[in-house]
Amino acid sequence: MTPAELSRTVRHAVCRAVEDGALRVAVPETVRVERPRPGGSGHWASNIALRLAREAGRSAAEVAGILGRHLEQAPGIARVEVTGPGFLNLTLADGSQQTLVRSVLAQGPAYGLPPAAEPCAHDAEPCAHDAESRAHDGELRERVWGETLARMGARPAAGERLGVVPAPDQELAVRLGTDAARWALLAAAAHDRPRTEGLLVQHERNPLFRVRYAHARAHALARGARALGFAAEPVAPVDAPALTAAVADHPAAVADAARLRAPDRLARHLEAVADALLSFQHTVLPVGDEKPSAAHRSRLALAEAAGAVLAGGLSLFGISAPLHL
């Protein structure tokens, strides 16, 4: 079950509770799920009960208990617990990892992207090559942020300015190229000056290189598997909690970056996906005389899902995702 599917499941539980008269509230348009905070449990958590408590005229714990009884009957949820003042903590049923991977592979780089986003970086508008942009380096960064946030589905109010710190110089794209320039402008928080050093160096210290290299490695693993006569298929659980969580968190990371007007949050998320994939990649293909098994097919499927996440995230930034590096 993906985070988006889980969010809809929790919202449906609110609808059911309203329909049977257990709660008297307006059903929210969206319900947010996130990783449990300290003191929580399970795979995911939601504060929806705290949001509805005042309107319902009940304590958050009571609201959470009502919603929990509906959620316990939902397919894909193994256990529901209420912690703290009324947080819903949800443990997914066995097989949820395979379901997640199948969903990502079916959607490809579009996984987690808003409906209007186009998962392709090659038609992105060039960064800073025109004379007007070079003349106004402060406006350049705001323009790049605005384009990226629009791809994420964020629509600023009329006349709203992002107020980001200007770009470091007027020839950024000329010096770094479009991809590295866009990463520099987007990966720094709005109040920070973009860091440009080392972005052209193919080294693990370069975050842009790590993200693009991890994407290329996912495709290399797929090519290696084809040479060995097998393909990706999520048929067995894979012991890779960090990578699984990073892939599952992608829709929320995109949504948070759009909601908070903070593309740098997505950059940090892509780095986390890349690091988890690079640590995991050595387990994917058979070694020596080892024969391909269901475990290898499932590991490859998770690696390909991570590659799709990286491709989709880079596309939102307008940065290309090469298949070879």
Side-chain angles (χ1 to χ4, degrees):
M1 183 180 294
T2 66
E5 292 168 340
L6 184 58
S7 175
R8 289 193 293 269
T9 298
V10 177
R11 183 179 183 276
H12 183 65
V14 177
C15 292
R16 294 284 302 277
V18 170
E19 289 172 358
D20 64 20
L23 291 178
R24 293 181 178 274
V25 296
V27 178
E29 291 187 7
T30 60
V31 174
R32 176 174 170 77
V33 295
E34 60 185 1
R35 292 296 175 184
R37 300 180 183 182
S41 62
H43 296 117
W44 295 94
S46 175
N47 67 350
I48 184 62
L50 284 80
R51 289 175 51 193
L52 299 178
R54 177 177 295 182
E55 184 182 355
R58 296 170 177 263
S59 70
E62 287 181 295
V63 175
I66 292 169
L67 297 179
R69 288 191 286 275
H70 287 285
L71 287 167
E72 286 172 341
Q73 304 171 26
I77 295 181
R79 187 171 67 256
V80 180
E81 296 179 78
V82 179
T83 60
F87 289 99
L88 280 167
N89 291 258
L90 310 170
T91 299
L92 302 182
D94 291 341
S96 58
Q97 182 193 64
Q98 295 97 298
T99 301
L100 167 69
V101 172
R102 288 191 190 96
S103 178
V104 178
L105 295 180
Q107 297 177 60
Y111 167 70
L113 273 58
E118 291 293 336
C120 176
H122 300 290
D123 59 357
E125 184 176 350
C127 165
H129 283 298
D130 59 272
E132 180 181 358
S133 294
R134 290 199 301 270
H136 304 286
D137 60 332
E139 294 180 6
L140 157 64
R141 193 174 180 203
E142 288 202 356
R143 192 190 79 180
V144 172
W145 270 50
E147 292 170 357
T148 301
L149 290 169
R151 290 192 191 97
M152 293 178 182
R155 295 292 183 266
E160 177 186 356
R161 292 186 64 85
L162 293 168
V164 295
V165 171
D169 61 56
Q170 298 177 353
E171 301 292 336
L172 187 63
V174 175
R175 289 193 298 109
L176 299 180
T178 298
D179 286 340
R182 293 190 75 92
W183 181 270
L185 295 174
L186 294 165
H191 56 273
D192 291 335
R193 291 188 68 82
R195 297 180 180 180
T196 61
E197 64 276 6
L199 287 179
L200 298 182
V201 178
Q202 294 194 1
H203 193 279
E204 62 183 10
R205 291 192 299 270
N206 176 359
L208 175 58
F209 172 74
R210 287 204 317 276
V211 170
R212 299 172 86 199
Y213 177 66
H215 171 264
R217 285 300 303 154
H219 285 271
L221 292 170
R223 292 193 297 270
R226 286 196 296 272
L228 294 172
F230 74 98
E233 186 180 5
V235 293
V238 176
D239 185 16
L243 184 56
T244 302
V247 170
D249 286 347
H250 184 60
V254 173
D256 284 349
R259 177 174 56 86
L260 299 173
R261 304 284 199 271
D264 58 292
R265 295 176 68 96
L266 179 59
R268 302 289 81 76
H269 169 70
L270 295 179
E271 291 178 42
V273 175
D275 291 343
L277 176 55
L278 291 175
S279 296
F280 171 75
Q281 62 169 326
H282 308 290
T283 70
V284 173
L285 298 181
V287 178
D289 295 333
E290 191 178 10
K291 301 297 183 184
S293 65
H296 294 109
R297 297 198 302 274
S298 298
R299 292 172 196 153
L300 177 62
L302 179 57
E304 289 190 4
V309 163
L310 294 173
L314 288 170
S315 78
L316 288 176
F317 279 4
I319 296 175
S320 63
L323 302 184
H324 302 269
L325 270 183

